[in-house]
Amino acid sequence: MKRVTMGMLAVVMALSATAAFGESKVGLRQGLQQQRIAQGVKSGSLTAGETARLENRESAINHEVRADRAANGGKLTAGERAQVNRQQNRLSGAIFADKHNGVHQ
């Protein structure tokens, strides 16, 4: 039951975040990473704690993007895009590491 709830939560968050960010590269990548997290929950390769940490990191990136866009008339500057890309790269690595660390739910 807990796994199903976490999986549904991840899917809802992915859909809402993609809608909020549109179809930009940042938004598209965010949606794909949410799908990877949801797949890890579904398969049991992510524990509840790992999922929570990944979701919190993703949420922090999302809040930063929203704030940056609000400050710049709806656009990200090149420097902000580069920073978000680095953060998403690190999160992607964390998703991979957590999914393949041998700890299962």
Side-chain angles (χ1 to χ4, degrees), residues 22-97:
E23 290 301 317
S24 67
K25 286 184 182 181
V26 171
L28 180 62
R29 184 165 181 194
Q30 189 277 337
L32 292 174
Q33 288 188 347
Q34 283 292 329
Q35 288 176 359
R36 291 175 59 208
I37 293 170
Q39 187 278 329
V41 170
K42 183 178 177 184
S43 71
S45 62
L46 288 175
T47 65
E50 290 169 339
T51 302
R53 279 189 298 279
L54 292 171
E55 293 287 354
N56 286 338
R57 287 177 67 179
E58 187 70 42
S59 178
I61 294 170
N62 296 342
H63 288 306
E64 182 179 335
V65 168
R66 264 187 240 119
D68 289 345
R69 285 194 172 160
N72 296 315
K75 303 267 183 199
L76 291 175
T77 65
E80 290 166 344
R81 272 193 312 276
Q83 180 180 4
V84 169
N85 188 52
R86 282 190 301 274
Q87 291 170 329
Q88 287 181 328
N89 286 344
R90 288 185 195 111
L91 180 60
S92 179
I95 293 169
F96 180 88

